[in-house]
Amino acid sequence: MATIPAQPTDLPASQTRARIAVETTAAIPWYIWCATIAITSATIGAYWDISWHSSIGRDTFWTPAHMAIQLCGVLAGIAFGYLILHTSFSKNSPLAASSVHIFGFRAPLGAFIASWGGIAMLTSAPFDNWWHDAYGIDVKIVSPPHMLLIMGEYAVVIGTLVLLAGHMNRSAVQSRTSERRLVLYINGIMLVQVMILLMESTERVFLHSAGAYIGAAALPPLVLALSWRLTRYRFAATFVALFYTLFRIGLILILPLFPAQPKLGPVYHQVTHFIPPDFPLLLIVPAFLLDLLWQRTESWNRWKIATVSSIIWTSVLIAVEWPFASFLMSPASNNWFFGTGYLYFALPPKSFLARHAFYPTGTPLEFSLAILGAILVGTLTFRWGISRGEWLGKIKR
Amino acid sequence: MNLFRLGVPLFLFTVLAQAHVGSPDIFLEGKAGPYQLFVTVRPPLTIPGVAEIEVRSESPGVRSISAVPLAITGAGSKFAPIPDALKVSSNDPQFFTGALWMMTSGSWQARLSIDGAQGPATFAVPVPSVARAAKHMQGGLGLVLFSVGIFLVSGLIAIVGAAAREAKLDAGQAPLADNLRTGRKAILVGGVIVVGVVVGGNMWWNSEASAYDTRIYKPLRMAASLHGTNLGLKITEPGWMQATTLNQAAYRIFTRKIDDLVADHGHIMHLYMIRQPGLDVIYHLHPEQQDAGLFALPLPSTVAGHYKLFADIVHADGFPETMTAEIDLPALSSRPLSGDDASGSGQPATNNIFTLSDGYKMEWLHDDKPIHAGQPMAFNFRLSQPDGTPPSDMSLYMGMLGHAAFVATDGSVFAHIHPNGSVSMAALMLAEGMPADMNMQETSRAVPNVVSFPYAFPSPVQYRIFVQMKHGKMVETGIFGVVCLPSEKR
């Protein structure tokens, strides 16, 4: 466990003060940019990989999509490995005084979190390989080794955010636009990544059943509330949701431009180009309303904010997504923009998606109870997001 | 990380393979247009998984071969993925190897496209695809992953502690007693949460492993009973590849039924009854289906004893299965053998020559070289009259020069092999776009008195080979013994 030195550094106080001063006036450091590129690469790689599996099917470790994901680990390893080693062992590190101590090393907290993520990502590779040997080549996103990989990716994102928050909080640049934009960008990336976990459960066939809305209440609110509370930007949630919306629409517009053919059977649907994911959920609508709400809640206690936010989030999302899902299931949405004609090559012909049929909604009582559950879940995640955002707003290391 | 699955030596839970017992490899010899090919497919243990395919052209001039997996029937047979070019051997230009990615259980084929000096051709090899095993983690890898897992768990708890203890301190400020206390609390709470996540992950892993276990192939169950001189066979579903939920019904591509059986070279069931433990009496019979899952047969006169039953059937999509059962039979004096029924008895041949009850002889044309497991070879047999000359009235037995059963004396292997290989004829017909039950036309050409069966023993144990050839109305059954040695390579 961590070893706490009697003094924060073994450097003379004058040197420490000088380094703190240097840091407070510094621009966004190189390792944060490096980490930002890393998480961007992993996010693009993850969606590319999913599209690869939907269009080509067969892969190796060396596909471009996998390389983009692994680049995250490499860049994070270089950036944070260097940061930890340099801060721990260099006598001139400007971050020595702004470090936490873990296992005898010292570095900013975010570096440790992101390094943990990199190690988790690396560990997932042999684990996933063994998983394929034992239980067959997996054809789904949510499996134990994939979860380890995803947790690793999230840790790199969170580590980057923590690093940036620490940088902002200990400097005089808290209100600087570039830092705030970068925080919103990282939160956007986080939401885009979080929605990977919900891709299967929020497929359009599930949008007339409660499960999709429980999922939508379980993860995105955390990111949106955190963004708002950390940046205090009036339209933080809207920006983050807009980023997700544009990213996913961009995939629908871009991926089908590139040729791809299945290399695995069974092939139930002819595929000639890369298959994009579903049209994004209309998170932007409740996100915008939340921004309007949050501008008026300065005097509210956090549980009240979380509860009202959750009610708005789930009810507005159902109100807009329900009819929109009906549209997505209609032939009118089978075009280049909404992209509902793109089907995974091995999608079974009897599946709900291939038949353009909604998964059963359940009885009104079952649905209502499940939606109440979604609101409860959303309350907890909004509350947690608020507290994490506030915590990030205070960290200095 | 599943703590209970780590550090366990490699251990395979193998199950009986479908379409034969304990003999999953597929051998097929046949004509692809002008080219004579011999194809071996070694299916993977797990599904999805990668099968190995080997093709030897016995005709010269083959330049390239590509292979693609394709469902034999149904929606999956309509569109093919991009075929894979097989790699030509550097030592033998007529030997090609490659891989087939088998993604779902069911009745599949390897569709080969051949190009050569005599033009293009295609060839279909039925490949039943089932998961046969669950593999546990090797000790070394388990230890490494376990160690990293411990590091990740302890690292995460340490990060949580450091975050609570120091993250909010101003630069250069040492943690105070309050900070240290907060850090310790965070380590405690974080530790409980992280350990909870690990336990939850372990439960998830177990649940995934259990779900996989349900996909491991289980043959249809068969129970045999005797009513007077009538043999009754009842087939039941043990719960493999059944759709029990709405989602499974929508997404499961392959489900097994017991009411969809099709005739395979003239019969809906081919039943071998082999007396135990000596494997010295064999009956090859053809029970009739009375109803879905119910078969019956008036037994011919039988020798008393304990019998193992191996029943071959084929489903409508070409998926073949071998069901097993056991029964004790008294000595029965009933009807004589009729139709395609056949029987044989005796000790295995000595010096590769088995003398039949009517004085005819069946010889295994084998040079007594050792035979190793996994070594594909042609097993050639010749039927002669008592004076050693070829019978003048050789005829086809159920449309073929002969039938053979390769049976391990320990009961671990049973394979019903035809002159063209190990595949079900019904599956082969379906894969070639024809009705499952091939039309058994008697040939007008002279039937040779030599038959060849391509096969490789799957494991190094003792075997009996029961070979059946027909002359006139008489089906002769020769019995041969062989000891298979361990595999030389693989």
Side-chain angles (χ1 to χ4, degrees):
Chain A
M1 225 34 66
T3 306
I4 310 301
Q7 294 296 322
T9 79
D10 50 1
L11 302 174
S14 58
Q15 278 189 37
T16 304
R17 278 194 299 277
R19 280 172 201 148
I20 293 166
V22 167
E23 230 241 316
T24 54
T25 55
I28 296 172
W30 66 270
Y31 48 82
I32 290 179
W33 287 118
C34 193
T36 305
I37 293 168
I39 60 175
T40 306
S41 177
T43 308
I44 293 169
Y47 277 93
W48 191 356
D49 193 40
I50 291 165
S51 178
W52 190 287
H53 282 277
S54 305
S55 325
I56 296 173
R58 189 194 311 179
D59 63 357
T60 68
F61 180 77
W62 300 105
T63 63
H66 286 172
M67 289 301 96
I69 294 171
Q70 294 304 328
L71 183 63
C72 174
V74 172
L75 286 176
I78 291 170
F80 301 119
Y82 170 82
L83 198 57
I84 291 172
L85 292 175
H86 185 259
T87 312
S88 297
F89 302 115
S90 168
K91 293 181 178 171
N92 301 311
S93 171
L95 292 168
S98 309
S99 296
V100 299
H101 298 77
I102 290 176
F103 294 152
F105 292 94
R106 68 182 178 198
L109 178 65
F112 285 111
I113 296 172
S115 299
W116 185 92
I119 295 168
M121 287 177 76
L122 284 175
T123 308
S124 76
F127 185 22
D128 198 34
N129 201 39
W130 172 80
W131 191 270
H132 294 173
D133 281 349
Y135 307 123
I137 301 151
D138 44 36
V139 288
K140 55 183 184 178
I141 295 171
V142 182
S143 71
H146 285 182
M147 276 309 296
L148 185 61
L149 176 70
I150 290 170
M151 280 167 62
E153 279 185 33
Y154 289 177
V156 177
V157 177
I158 292 165
T160 306
L161 194 61
V162 169
L163 266 179
L164 184 56
H167 168 77
M168 286 167 64
N169 296 338
R170 65 179 170 263
S171 67
V173 296
Q174 264 172 303
S175 58
R176 217 160 65 184
T177 310
S178 57
E179 269 81 357
R180 206 165 59 169
R181 281 182 181 161
L182 191 54
V183 170
L184 288 172
Y185 174 80
I186 293 168
N187 277 293
I189 287 282
M190 200 187 290
L191 181 60
V192 168
Q193 286 207 356
V194 153
M195 293 309 288
I196 291 175
L197 276 182
L198 299 181
M199 270 178 93
E200 287 168 346
S201 59
T202 60
E203 212 172 47
R204 58 182 178 271
V205 299
F206 296 116
L207 294 177
H208 280 188
S209 42
Y213 299 98
I214 294 174
L219 295 171
L222 176 65
V223 181
L224 300 182
L226 184 151
S227 308
W228 162 56
R229 223 46 188 186
L230 174 58
T231 63
R232 297 288 178 165
Y233 176 50
R234 286 196 306 155
F235 292 101
T238 307
F239 180 91
V240 170
L242 180 65
F243 182 89
Y244 152 76
T245 307
L246 294 178
F247 186 94
R248 290 281 286 260
I249 291 175
L251 292 175
I252 296 173
L253 301 182
I254 294 168
L255 283 169
L257 298 177
F258 297 93
Q261 279 183 277
K263 285 188 171 179
L264 293 178
V267 179
Y268 296 121
H269 309 276
Q270 270 190 314
V271 166
T272 56
H273 292 77
F274 274 95
I275 298 293
D278 259 359
F279 197 83
L281 295 183
L282 301 179
L283 302 182
I284 192 161
V285 179
F288 176 68
L289 292 176
L290 287 181
D291 276 331
L292 296 182
L293 170 76
W294 290 340
Q295 289 167 22
R296 293 159 178 80
T297 57
E298 277 304 317
S299 59
W300 293 17
N301 80 45
R302 295 178 185 88
W303 279 109
K304 185 177 171 187
I305 297 172
T307 307
V308 175
S309 299
S310 181
I311 292 168
I312 289 174
W313 175 259
T314 297
S315 54
V316 171
L317 189 60
I318 292 173
V320 293
E321 202 67 64
W322 196 283
F324 188 64
S326 298
F327 164 71
L328 290 178
M329 297 292 264
S330 73
S333 64
N334 183 358
N335 55 43
W336 60 274
F337 185 75
F338 294 104
T340 53
Y342 303 118
L343 296 178
Y344 163 46
F345 69 87
L347 183 70
K350 285 192 290 180
S351 65
F352 290 94
L353 193 56
R355 291 186 286 119
H356 302 287
F358 281 112
Y359 194 79
T361 303
T363 65
L365 179 64
E366 286 167 349
F367 183 79
S368 305
L369 287 175
I371 294 304
L372 278 177
I375 291 172
L376 180 65
V377 169
T379 303
L380 296 174
T381 46
F382 271 116
R383 179 66 185 82
W384 198 36
I386 290 168
S387 74
R388 290 308 87 195
E390 289 174 352
W391 180 79
L392 280 170
K394 292 176 189 163
I395 63 166
K396 304 272 179 60
R397 298 186 173 202
Chain B
M1 193 151 302
N2 190 325
L3 306 180
F4 307 108
R5 290 171 186 275
L6 298 179
V8 180
L10 178 67
F11 186 71
L12 299 175
F13 293 102
T14 52
V15 296
L16 301 180
Q18 86 303 339
H20 318 306
V21 174
S23 185
D25 290 357
I26 294 152
F27 308 98
L28 181 62
E29 187 165 25
K31 280 263 184 196
Y35 309 107
Q36 181 74 22
L37 303 180
F38 179 67
V39 182
T40 303
V41 180
R42 297 194 174 88
L45 276 173
T46 56
I47 297 295
V50 181
E52 297 170 22
I53 182 166
E54 296 172 359
V55 184
R56 175 173 297 286
S57 171
E58 288 156 15
S59 312
V62 171
R63 283 191 292 267
S64 66
I65 300 179
S66 62
V68 67
L70 200 59
I72 286 183
T73 61
S77 62
K78 197 172 163 193
F79 304 118
I82 296 175
D84 280 301
L86 302 191
K87 193 176 160 193
V88 61
S89 163
S90 53
N91 300 323
D92 180 354
Q94 297 299 296
F95 186 64
F96 300 81
T97 57
L100 282 172
W101 290 58
M102 312 302 299
M103 298 306 291
T104 62
S105 296
S107 184
W108 287 77
Q109 60 172 305
R111 173 69 70 166
L112 305 185
S113 297
I114 302 103
D115 192 29
Q118 299 181 71
T122 60
F123 194 58
V125 185
V127 180
S129 168
V130 294
R132 291 180 288 123
K135 198 189 281 185
H136 280 198
M137 193 172 281
Q138 286 172 296
L141 178 63
L143 194 64
V144 169
L145 287 179
F146 183 75
S147 308
V148 179
I150 292 288
F151 176 76
L152 285 173
V153 166
S154 55
L156 192 54
I157 295 170
I159 287 170
V160 169
R165 185 178 58 233
E166 299 172 81
K168 289 196 275 191
L169 296 179
D170 285 327
Q173 183 188 341
L176 304 173
D178 269 1
N179 303 124
L180 295 175
R181 204 174 305 119
T182 307
R184 280 196 292 272
K185 272 187 197 166
I187 284 172
L188 192 66
V189 174
V192 169
I193 292 170
V194 171
V195 169
V197 168
V198 171
V199 170
N202 188 61
M203 288 164 66
W204 181 23
W205 185 341
N206 282 330
S207 141
E208 290 280 327
S210 301
Y212 180 82
D213 287 345
T214 66
R215 298 199 298 274
I216 293 177
Y217 175 70
K218 296 178 191 72
L220 285 170
R221 282 200 195 110
M222 183 171 75
S225 56
L226 187 66
H227 311 279
T229 58
N230 286 324
L231 177 70
L233 299 172
K234 186 176 182 186
I235 299 169
T236 52
E237 172 59 61
W240 178 69
M241 299 304 282
Q242 301 300 297
T244 55
T245 66
L246 192 61
N247 241 356
Q248 284 176 348
Y251 286 90
R252 185 151 283 174
I253 292 159
F254 170 75
T255 51
R256 181 171 61 183
K257 303 184 182 90
I258 59 172
D259 60 354
D260 69 340
L261 307 185
V262 293
D264 187 8
H265 51 289
H267 298 283
I268 209 151
M269 177 185 281
H270 293 261
L271 175 70
Y272 280 88
M273 298 201 312
I274 302 172
R275 190 163 75 163
Q276 306 295 317
L279 288 78
D280 55 346
V281 179
I282 181 170
Y283 296 90
H284 181 173
L285 306 170
H286 303 94
E288 293 292 329
Q289 186 172 223
Q290 307 295 304
D291 203 347
L294 290 176
F295 283 76
L297 173 75
L299 283 174
S301 297
T302 52
V303 180
H306 180 73
Y307 286 82
K308 269 198 174 173
L309 278 54
F310 300 94
D312 285 344
I313 53 165
V314 182
H315 294 271
D317 59 2
F319 186 76
E321 297 197 70
T322 297
M323 302 170 294
T324 59
E326 299 193 19
I327 193 168
D328 289 311
L329 290 179
L332 291 176
S333 180
S334 50
R335 68 173 177 90
L337 291 169
S338 62
D340 291 328
D341 293 348
S343 72
S345 61
Q347 292 304 310
T350 49
N351 296 325
N352 293 334
I353 296 176
F354 186 83
T355 303
L356 297 148
S357 57
D358 55 4
Y360 276 58
K361 294 182 193 314
M362 195 181 288
E363 183 181 3
W364 180 13
L365 306 176
H366 178 51
D367 55 11
D368 288 331
K369 275 187 186 167
I371 297 175
H372 294 272
Q375 170 192 344
M377 57 182 284
F379 291 82
N380 302 316
F381 300 89
R382 179 168 58 208
L383 182 65
S384 307
Q385 296 185 102
D387 62 3
T389 58
S392 57
D393 59 347
M394 285 299 301
S395 57
L396 297 179
Y397 178 38
M398 288 186 280
M400 288 174 245
L401 294 179
H403 290 247
F406 291 73
V407 185
T409 56
D410 65 3
S412 60
V413 175
F414 168 85
H416 176 177
I417 305 297
H418 299 140
N420 67 346
S422 63
V423 304
S424 142
M425 297 309 296
L428 189 59
M429 292 296 105
L430 288 167
E432 289 176 349
M434 289 187 263
D437 192 15
M438 66 189 287
N439 189 4
M440 296 296 167
Q441 296 289 342
E442 290 294 323
T443 178
S444 57
R445 289 184 301 172
V447 174
N449 67 329
V450 176
V451 63
S452 178
F453 299 98
Y455 187 63
F457 290 117
S459 49
V461 293
Q462 283 195 52
Y463 290 86
R464 292 280 190 281
I465 309 173
F466 300 96
V467 180
Q468 295 179 315
M469 299 172 76
K470 189 173 179 185
H471 64 93
K473 299 286 182 192
M474 180 72 185
V475 180
E476 304 281 18
T477 302
I479 303 176
F480 303 87
V482 60
V483 175
C484 177
L485 301 177
S487 172
E488 284 186 304
K489 63 184 178 80
R490 284 282 300 281

